[in-house]
Amino acid sequence: MEINQEWVVYGIIAFLIVALYTEIMRPAITFLAAVVLLVVFGVISAEEALHGFANEQLAVIVLLLILANIFSKTRVITTLFKGIFRDSDRPRGFLMKMMSTVGISSAFLNNTPLVAMMMPYVYTWSKKKKLSPSRFLIPLSYASILGGCVTLIGTSTNLIANGLASDIVHEMSGGEQTFSLGIFDFAYVGIPMLVIGFLYLLLFGHRLLPDKQSALEQLLGKDREYFLETHVKQNSSLIGKTVEDGGLRNLKGLFLVEIMRDGNIISPVAPTERLEYDDVLFFAGDLESITELTSPGMGLSLPKSCNIPVTEKTDVVEVVVAHNSRLVGKKVQDSDFRGRYDGAILAIHRNGEKLWGKIGDIALKAGDVLLVLAGKDFDKRTANSPAFYLISKAREIHAMATWKATILVVGLIGAVALAALGWVSLFISLSILLLLTLLLKMVSPVEIRNGVDFNLIIIIAMGLAFGKAMLNSGAADTLANSIAGVSNTFGPIGLLAGIFLVTNLLSAFMTSKAAVAIVMPIAISLAGSMHLPLTPFVLTVAFGGAANFMTPIGYQTNLMVYGPGGYSFKDFLKIGLPLTLIYLVVCVVILSYIYWNGSAGS
């Protein structure tokens, strides 16, 4: 029986949506599995499946990630931050400075390391002012997203959209036509939305953003409630005492959740419960209180996996697990955290979710905030690690010579300018700059390797292959023809709005890369069947994928601030939904005016 390839593609789209939303597998594995199925069912060939790895836009993304990693290890950005921000800044002034700096920088640098470097500043400044970081961290993420949408190189989503569109147009025309967006084609919508977005956050952010500061004064300190495992050690003064007599009943900022004794759980814990040797006590509470709980005088010890010699211990730090971290999905006891990073996971915070059982048995998730006991080599071992971002202690910064840092900044500006003028391709100009950094020993080959996100490369390459499958199976044309009927009621402007909404909703619960890979072939087929300019359709898909404000899982910077800010999904929806609708209107109005009134080419 002949297999209907179109229905195979629809089935795999459903698989992608469910698998990415439920996180049953890591995104890179999910995409790889989807493409393998496409090859098995004959929708694409093995050569077509691997063709994405040769895409020039993918190479540009890799180069930009490497260069951004080099920037993050210099004092260029941190010196800029120190020159702009002052302890005397008022909250509104600090917010405006922060968003402007990050927004403008994100147009030319990868926004993930920018947000990672900015988070400690926000966190420290907020504490000094006795303000909640939750008032500033969502604006930090949103500013980086708004800035990234200003240029082609501002976000990998824009580059993926351009790469997909280029491949699809080349394929549909039989190799006779080419398509490529310019670096500043995004600026028509990106710059107005950068300004409008900033005004929206400045005028309405303080009303819509949650204030978790009052929670610091509550018993459990729920702005960042950690889950901690301790053991009653031998010769402890607590042995034989009741919970109340041992002083564990009314600990400030801490709550004794349960006791594990001989494999049995005691919960809730009564004040009269007597403590025994080797009892395992599970507490929930805030950072400062947990640190005091582990002091020698308490008679409690940490799990064996957390034992770092006192002579080596340097600090207690907080980190956020990255969306593409190798730690995601692994139990703490299987993560080899001590061996890999010279640190031990002391406690875990996961927004709004109660954690139970031993720390070692908890499987880590992206966005988890970890309290880590850092050994003497922790900074060195994590300097190039994409596994997590530090929020309560800044990473070690390399002291790069001023003249080298100047070359790096001028070189990046020159590379972008040469590409914008059309003198050389962006790939060539960035390659020359990277070669220069190697020759001047600004970066080592090992640091380059560590700075490459291989998961992202797989996702992008497989996404390009999926776009090919949409064309080969006829699914793109079928869906485009079905959607084309909408134009009879709402017209082309309604189509652009629909494309933006569909892409944005898919991005909010999957990833922007998956959403763009699914929608782009449909959008291009629509433009062709209706004989409309192609560029506004491609840009709408890109903006719909990148302008992701409604959920913490939709964009990596949202996920980075999710745990440290103590946010809920509702917080992102409350402030992100109006901003998304504003972006939709501005995007559709500007693109339809420019490209359908003859003010710009197609």
Side-chain angles (χ1 to χ4, degrees), residues 229 260 330-333 356-364:
E229 172 188 346
M260 180 184 293
K330 288 186 177 180
K331 292 183 178 180
V332 172
Q333 64 187 9
W356 307 98
K358 292 191 173 184
I359 290 288
D361 294 331
I362 296 176
L364 297 172

Side-chain angles (χ1 to χ4, degrees), residues 472-532:
N472 287 1
S473 64
D477 288 335
T478 299
L479 292 173
N481 292 332
S482 300
I483 297 171
V486 177
S487 65
N488 295 327
T489 304
F490 299 103
I493 293 179
L495 272 181
L496 284 186
I499 289 171
F500 183 100
L501 279 175
V502 170
T503 310
N504 194 265
L505 287 172
L506 286 174
S507 297
F509 296 100
M510 299 167 56
T511 66
S512 58
K513 286 77 176 173
V516 169
I518 291 171
V519 179
M520 185 63 79
I522 301 171
I524 291 177
S525 294
L526 268 172
S529 64
M530 299 182 69
H531 305 290
L532 292 171

Side-chain angles (χ1 to χ4, degrees), residues 43-305:
V43 181
I44 57 176
S45 65
E47 182 180 355
E48 289 171 329
L50 297 173
H51 179 70
F53 288 104
N55 186 278
E56 184 176 331
Q57 299 303 312
L58 175 56
V60 170
I61 291 172
V62 173
L63 289 170
L64 285 170
L65 288 174
I66 293 171
L67 290 169
N69 193 46
I70 298 172
F71 263 98
S72 69
K73 291 176 176 58
T74 70
R75 297 189 184 276
V76 175
I77 301 298
T78 52
T79 301
L80 176 65
F81 287 165
K82 289 178 180 177
I84 293 175
F85 302 115
R86 297 285 186 271
D87 290 342
S88 59
D89 287 338
R90 294 182 178 274
R92 188 68 64 89
F94 178 82
L95 185 63
M96 186 164 57
K97 287 182 178 181
M98 178 192 72
M99 291 193 300
S100 300
T101 303
V102 173
I104 294 172
S105 300
S106 293
F108 303 99
L109 294 172
N110 185 274
N111 51 19
T112 301
L114 280 172
V115 172
M117 286 187 286
M118 191 66 211
M119 277 199 299
Y121 281 91
V122 174
Y123 196 70
T124 302
W125 187 89
S126 300
K127 280 197 167 185
K128 287 180 180 178
K129 293 290 185 178
K130 296 183 179 180
L131 297 170
S132 173
S134 64
R135 308 289 289 180
F136 303 96
L137 289 177
I138 278 183
L140 169 62
S141 176
Y142 285 4
S144 73
I145 296 172
L146 290 165
C149 291
V150 171
T151 67
L152 173 65
I153 64 173
T155 171
S156 59
T157 303
N158 290 351
L159 286 160
I160 293 167
N162 189 42
L164 265 170
S166 177
D167 279 1
I168 292 169
V169 170
H170 187 268
E171 177 70 21
M172 292 178 68
S173 66
E176 295 181 1
Q177 296 181 18
T178 59
F179 176 87
S180 183
L181 294 170
I183 290 179
F184 296 105
D185 284 350
F186 292 82
Y188 294 116
V189 173
I191 292 178
M193 270 311 305
L194 187 66
V195 176
I196 294 171
F198 285 3
L199 291 175
Y200 167 76
L201 291 169
L202 285 169
L203 296 176
F204 302 103
H206 66 285
R207 300 177 186 175
L208 298 174
L209 284 166
D211 187 354
K212 306 290 183 179
Q213 181 66 21
S214 59
L216 290 170
E217 301 171 359
Q218 297 177 8
L219 178 63
L220 297 180
K222 289 183 179 177
D223 69 311
R224 179 109 81 255
E225 182 179 299
Y226 283 101
F227 182 71
L228 174 71
E229 172 188 346
T230 64
H231 295 242
V232 177
K233 61 186 180 181
Q234 194 172 16
N235 300 323
S236 170
S237 60
L238 295 173
I239 296 175
K241 290 184 179 180
T242 65
V243 169
E244 188 167 16
D245 291 341
L248 303 180
R249 175 68 173 171
N250 297 310
L251 290 170
K252 183 180 178 181
L254 282 171
F255 176 70
L256 180 56
V257 178
E258 64 184 23
I259 298 176
M260 180 184 293
R261 181 180 297 156
D262 299 325
N264 299 315
I265 299 296
I266 302 173
S267 181
V269 181
T272 56
E273 183 68 41
R274 292 193 178 276
L275 300 170
E276 298 180 7
Y277 165 62
D278 211 29
D279 277 354
V280 183
L281 311 184
F282 297 97
F283 291 88
D286 59 36
L287 171 61
E288 288 78 9
S289 301
I290 282 179
T291 304
E292 292 177 8
L293 183 68
T294 58
S295 63
M298 288 299 297
L300 297 172
S301 64
L302 300 172
K304 291 181 180 179
S305 61

